Amino acid sequence: SVDQDALMNTNAIARRIASLQPEDCTRMGVIFTGDDLDAQALETACDELNVLGALRDAKPYARAYGGAVIIALTEDAARLPDGRVDMSAPLIPSTIEAVHGWLVLDRWDCSVLQWIYDPTSPIGIVPTRYNVAAMYGLPTTTVHASRVMPMLGMTAPPRVRMQSYSYWGPSVFANCYEDLRNYQIGGEFVARILQQSSVGVLNSQHVANAISSGNGDALVQRLEACQESMSALNMLALDKDTASFSFAARAVGGVGDAMMQAKQRLVASSGNPTSL
């Protein structure tokens, strides 16, 4: 999860890989149709409760971390002795008094606590209870599955999900991590090459003499003075007969081709079109 956190929080391309499809799927909103249905009221309620916002947050988490959940924060008949909602009890829709919103978590903050075998499930099991990190302040850290909408990561065989991901799935970065890293390193390398593509060269007959006579500090001071004068005045003061200054260009041929290959590999492994 540390690598996934870093990619989501510091790498714009990685975050785009995780969020592009969910954002595209929800950007047009939702339209309800049906007989005897107050579509306008449903659409208004969805907007007020930020239903699409919760989906838009949860799906990138599922893609990036291999799993995510949306937990319904309701007022209903299941109560603890102190009057708060008992999140570990089943949610009975007919007893819902209010919906306050949604708690969106990735798989590392909401783990499967219990499950049952169900042959109709795509992976053979169905979670019955989840364990939520105490830091989120729910009345109970155990949450019944009826209050949770799970979203799995990328597809994988059931044995892989259970053995390697504890019911969840692989991250979308699993297949493109190497290409994403290589593209990032390539971009940083190109930036360094461009910074060093033109190097200033000071020619002076006194350089060797200064070093051999032990006056290296004087030479360093001279170079620093040249640098400061160029920074402040864009001018360079040199001895007319003993020194000259020029720029030496560094060849950068082939860098563009290498970056194009890295980009094409990243496009192929991420599954997104080049234009996006």
Side-chain angles (χ1 to χ4, degrees):
S1 64
V2 174
D3 290 340
Q4 295 156 359
D5 284 343
L7 287 171
M8 289 292 284
N9 294 329
T10 65
N11 192 302
I13 296 178
R15 191 173 186 89
R16 187 168 178 80
I17 290 172
S19 62
L20 181 62
Q21 292 180 9
E23 290 178 356
D24 192 44
C25 290
T26 56
R27 64 186 176 86
M28 296 297 291
V30 60
I31 298 176
F32 292 97
T33 59
D35 298 332
D36 299 325
L37 181 67
D38 190 344
Q40 184 61 49
L42 279 174
E43 292 171 11
T44 300
C46 283
D47 291 338
E48 292 176 349
L49 293 172
N50 195 30
V51 172
L52 285 182
L55 289 171
R56 194 160 42 243
D57 290 341
K59 192 58 179 176
Y61 286 175
R63 287 171 56 80
Y65 295 97
V69 297
I70 301 175
I71 300 175
L73 304 177
T74 66
E75 293 288 340
D76 56 80
R79 297 286 179 173
L80 295 168
D82 61 5
R84 293 183 299 169
V85 174
D86 185 359
M87 303 292 287
S88 65
L91 175 63
I92 301 174
S94 60
T95 68
I96 295 177
E97 302 167 11
V99 179
H100 297 302
W102 322 95
L103 179 60
V104 179
L105 301 174
D106 65 59
R107 56 161 292 200
W108 299 106
D109 283 335
C110 185
S111 58
V112 178
L113 184 63
Q114 296 176 345
W115 55 65
I116 60 173
Y117 174 73
D118 184 351
T120 65
S121 168
I123 63 173
I125 66 167
V126 174
T128 56
R129 278 182 170 79
Y130 296 83
N131 187 60
V132 176
M135 63 180 289
Y136 293 101
L138 295 180
T140 55
T141 56
T142 300
V143 180
H144 194 271
S146 58
R147 300 176 183 272
V148 179
M149 177 181 173
M151 293 185 176
L152 301 181
M154 308 306 290
T155 57
R159 74 175 187 283
V160 175
R161 287 192 183 277
M162 292 304 299
Q163 293 174 1
S164 301
Y165 302 104
S166 300
Y167 165 77
W168 304 106
S171 164
V172 68
F173 300 136
N175 289 333
C176 65
Y177 179 80
E178 296 291 337
D179 297 312
L180 185 61
R181 182 194 61 186
N182 292 341
Y183 185 75
Q184 187 77 11
I185 292 175
E188 295 172 357
F189 179 68
V190 169
R192 288 197 296 269
I193 288 180
L194 292 177
Q195 290 174 350
Q196 301 171 3
S197 61
S198 183
V199 180
V201 179
L202 178 63
N203 294 305
S204 175
Q205 66 184 29
H206 301 301
V207 171
N209 293 335
I211 296 174
S212 61
S213 62
N215 293 324
D217 291 341
L219 176 62
V220 172
Q221 291 177 0
R222 174 59 174 149
L223 294 175
E224 290 176 346
C226 291
Q227 186 177 28
E228 290 177 2
S229 66
M230 291 185 67
S231 299
L233 303 174
N234 198 26
M235 298 173 63
L236 185 61
L238 297 175
D239 295 331
K240 179 179 179 181
D241 298 324
T242 60
S244 64
F245 183 83
S246 62
F247 286 99
R250 182 178 182 180
V252 295
V255 173
D257 293 337
M259 285 301 298
M260 179 60 70
Q261 290 295 323
K263 182 172 71 172
Q264 289 176 346
R265 285 186 58 89
L266 178 58
V267 167
S269 61
S270 70
N272 293 320
T274 304
S275 59
L276 298 178

